[in-house]
Amino acid sequence: MTNALIVIDVQNDFCPDGALAVTGGDAIVAGINAAMADFGAVVLTQDWHPADHSSFADNHHGAVPFSVVEMPYGAQVLWPRHCVQGTQGAAFHADLNSDRADMVIRKGFRAGIDSYSAFFENDQKTPTGLEGYLRSRGVTDLVLAGLATDFCVAFSALDAARLGFGVSVRMDLCRAIDLEGSLAVMVEKMRAAGVVLA
Ligand code: VGL
Ligand code: ZN
């Protein structure tokens, strides 16, 4: 039995001065590095979009960032262009101890579909492969930290709980986008799903 720390999207574009900056996004890095010592497995996720990704507002004629469109798989927020594959914005924050990671899982690499969760793309069925990796390593319990609390962290936590993992979120080691009350909504969903908010 092993526990795993899942570090969600601690990438330059989600930190101050990044393309989709999350307030205080860089303030969690030292705490995440320190927490790594307490886990048998450390996994980092990396938002990893092609330039023509359908979640980018500038790939939709006349669309403004943070508006919502209907995709074949459901509602999708249109974001400023961020975490483009191979760019500095997609790289991990320079101070994140990425050397400690056993596994880096990339997500959102298909142009036609976004992936907030580390487990399933936004159609809620296309797997990223992370579940199989964790199960084959005997991981039963997960602690999540990273960016952003109300999008990629929350979607990952909800999927993990649905898959039967024990899940807790280190709220002190997360920061939120909070788009029109999204933080409160997602906190309530996580609580209802049995996710421990630590
Ligand atoms: C994220 C919006 C778009 C996140 C990723 O990491 O929470 N949010 N892509
Ligand atoms: Zn993204």
Short mmCIF file of all heavy atoms in Angstrom, two decimals, residues 8-9 14 20 47 49 79 82 107 114 116 147-148 151-153 177, ligand 1:
data_model
loop_
_atom_site.label_atom_id
_atom_site.label_comp_id
_atom_site.label_asym_id
_atom_site.label_seq_id
_atom_site.Cartn_x
_atom_site.Cartn_y
_atom_site.Cartn_z
N ILE A 8 -0.67 19.07 -9.26
CA ILE A 8 -1.40 19.46 -10.45
C ILE A 8 -0.88 20.78 -11.05
O ILE A 8 -0.95 21.84 -10.40
CB ILE A 8 -2.92 19.64 -10.12
CG1 ILE A 8 -3.51 18.37 -9.46
CG2 ILE A 8 -3.70 20.05 -11.37
CD1 ILE A 8 -3.67 17.18 -10.35
N ASP A 9 -0.34 20.71 -12.25
CA ASP A 9 -0.13 21.88 -13.13
C ASP A 9 0.61 23.07 -12.49
O ASP A 9 0.19 24.22 -12.66
CB ASP A 9 -1.48 22.37 -13.70
CG ASP A 9 -2.21 21.32 -14.54
OD1 ASP A 9 -1.70 20.21 -14.69
OD2 ASP A 9 -3.31 21.63 -15.05
N PHE A 14 0.53 29.35 -15.09
CA PHE A 14 -0.45 29.49 -14.01
C PHE A 14 0.13 30.27 -12.83
O PHE A 14 -0.53 30.43 -11.80
CB PHE A 14 -0.94 28.12 -13.54
CG PHE A 14 -1.65 27.33 -14.62
CD1 PHE A 14 -1.21 26.07 -14.99
CD2 PHE A 14 -2.76 27.86 -15.26
CE1 PHE A 14 -1.87 25.35 -15.99
CE2 PHE A 14 -3.42 27.15 -16.26
CZ PHE A 14 -2.97 25.89 -16.62
N LEU A 20 -2.12 32.56 -17.94
CA LEU A 20 -3.38 32.32 -17.22
C LEU A 20 -3.03 32.31 -15.73
O LEU A 20 -3.19 31.32 -15.02
CB LEU A 20 -4.01 31.00 -17.70
CG LEU A 20 -5.33 30.49 -17.13
CD1 LEU A 20 -6.34 31.59 -16.90
CD2 LEU A 20 -5.92 29.42 -18.03
N ASP A 47 -0.27 20.50 -17.93
CA ASP A 47 -1.22 20.93 -18.95
C ASP A 47 -0.39 21.12 -20.22
O ASP A 47 0.63 21.81 -20.19
CB ASP A 47 -1.85 22.25 -18.48
CG ASP A 47 -3.28 22.45 -18.95
OD1 ASP A 47 -4.05 21.48 -19.01
OD2 ASP A 47 -3.63 23.63 -19.24
N HIS A 49 -0.94 21.70 -24.22
CA HIS A 49 -1.84 21.92 -25.34
C HIS A 49 -1.12 22.18 -26.66
O HIS A 49 -0.14 22.95 -26.69
CB HIS A 49 -2.73 23.14 -25.06
CG HIS A 49 -3.58 23.04 -23.84
ND1 HIS A 49 -4.38 21.95 -23.57
CD2 HIS A 49 -3.78 23.90 -22.80
CE1 HIS A 49 -5.03 22.15 -22.43
NE2 HIS A 49 -4.68 23.32 -21.93
N TRP A 79 -10.24 29.78 -22.68
CA TRP A 79 -9.15 30.35 -21.88
C TRP A 79 -8.21 31.18 -22.75
O TRP A 79 -8.13 30.96 -23.97
CB TRP A 79 -8.35 29.21 -21.23
CG TRP A 79 -9.17 28.33 -20.37
CD1 TRP A 79 -9.60 27.07 -20.66
CD2 TRP A 79 -9.66 28.62 -19.05
NE1 TRP A 79 -10.33 26.55 -19.61
CE2 TRP A 79 -10.38 27.48 -18.62
CE3 TRP A 79 -9.56 29.73 -18.20
CZ2 TRP A 79 -11.01 27.42 -17.37
CZ3 TRP A 79 -10.18 29.67 -16.96
CH2 TRP A 79 -10.88 28.53 -16.55
N HIS A 82 -2.54 29.20 -23.34
CA HIS A 82 -1.67 28.87 -22.21
C HIS A 82 -1.09 27.47 -22.37
O HIS A 82 -1.65 26.64 -23.09
CB HIS A 82 -2.46 28.93 -20.89
CG HIS A 82 -3.53 27.88 -20.82
ND1 HIS A 82 -4.76 28.04 -21.43
CD2 HIS A 82 -3.56 26.66 -20.26
CE1 HIS A 82 -5.49 26.95 -21.24
NE2 HIS A 82 -4.78 26.09 -20.53
N LYS A 107 -1.59 16.22 -20.16
CA LYS A 107 -3.02 16.16 -20.46
C LYS A 107 -3.43 17.39 -21.28
O LYS A 107 -2.74 18.40 -21.24
CB LYS A 107 -3.83 16.09 -19.17
CG LYS A 107 -3.59 17.29 -18.27
CD LYS A 107 -4.30 17.15 -16.95
CE LYS A 107 -4.10 18.36 -16.09
NZ LYS A 107 -4.59 19.63 -16.65
N ASP A 114 -10.54 19.37 -24.13
CA ASP A 114 -9.73 19.81 -23.00
C ASP A 114 -9.68 18.70 -21.95
O ASP A 114 -10.47 17.74 -22.01
CB ASP A 114 -10.33 21.09 -22.40
CG ASP A 114 -9.29 21.93 -21.67
OD1 ASP A 114 -8.11 21.53 -21.63
OD2 ASP A 114 -9.65 23.01 -21.15
N TYR A 116 -9.26 18.86 -17.84
CA TYR A 116 -8.95 19.45 -16.53
C TYR A 116 -8.40 18.38 -15.59
O TYR A 116 -7.45 18.58 -14.87
CB TYR A 116 -10.20 20.06 -15.90
CG TYR A 116 -10.80 21.25 -16.63
CD1 TYR A 116 -12.16 21.51 -16.53
CD2 TYR A 116 -10.01 22.11 -17.37
CE1 TYR A 116 -12.73 22.61 -17.17
CE2 TYR A 116 -10.57 23.21 -18.02
CZ TYR A 116 -11.93 23.45 -17.91
OH TYR A 116 -12.50 24.53 -18.54
N LEU A 147 -2.54 23.70 -8.95
CA LEU A 147 -3.29 24.77 -9.61
C LEU A 147 -4.21 24.18 -10.68
O LEU A 147 -3.80 23.26 -11.39
CB LEU A 147 -2.31 25.75 -10.27
CG LEU A 147 -1.22 26.33 -9.31
CD1 LEU A 147 -0.17 27.07 -10.10
CD2 LEU A 147 -1.86 27.21 -8.25
N ALA A 148 -5.34 24.68 -10.84
CA ALA A 148 -6.00 25.61 -9.94
C ALA A 148 -7.02 24.83 -9.12
O ALA A 148 -7.64 23.89 -9.63
CB ALA A 148 -6.71 26.71 -10.75
N PHE A 151 -10.45 24.18 -10.80
CA PHE A 151 -10.52 23.54 -12.11
C PHE A 151 -9.74 22.22 -12.07
O PHE A 151 -10.30 21.18 -11.72
CB PHE A 151 -10.08 24.49 -13.24
CG PHE A 151 -11.14 25.52 -13.52
CD1 PHE A 151 -11.14 26.75 -12.87
CD2 PHE A 151 -12.20 25.22 -14.36
CE1 PHE A 151 -12.15 27.68 -13.08
CE2 PHE A 151 -13.22 26.14 -14.58
CZ PHE A 151 -13.19 27.36 -13.94
N CYS A 152 -8.48 22.24 -12.39
CA CYS A 152 -7.78 20.95 -12.55
C CYS A 152 -7.65 20.17 -11.25
O CYS A 152 -7.74 18.94 -11.25
CB CYS A 152 -6.45 21.17 -13.24
SG CYS A 152 -6.70 21.65 -14.98
N VAL A 153 -7.44 20.84 -10.11
CA VAL A 153 -7.36 20.11 -8.85
C VAL A 153 -8.71 19.48 -8.51
O VAL A 153 -8.80 18.28 -8.22
CB VAL A 153 -6.88 21.02 -7.70
CG1 VAL A 153 -6.93 20.27 -6.36
CG2 VAL A 153 -5.47 21.53 -7.96
N ILE A 177 -8.61 29.95 -9.42
CA ILE A 177 -8.93 30.97 -10.43
C ILE A 177 -10.15 31.75 -9.96
O ILE A 177 -10.20 32.96 -10.04
CB ILE A 177 -9.19 30.31 -11.81
CG1 ILE A 177 -7.91 29.64 -12.34
CG2 ILE A 177 -9.70 31.35 -12.81
CD1 ILE A 177 -8.08 28.82 -13.61
C1 VGL B 1 -6.38 24.73 -15.87
C2 VGL B 1 -7.78 26.07 -17.06
C3 VGL B 1 -7.25 25.61 -18.26
C4 VGL B 1 -5.91 24.27 -14.54
C5 VGL B 1 -5.85 24.24 -17.05
O1 VGL B 1 -4.77 23.77 -14.42
O2 VGL B 1 -6.68 24.41 -13.55
N1 VGL B 1 -7.35 25.63 -15.89
N2 VGL B 1 -6.29 24.69 -18.23
#
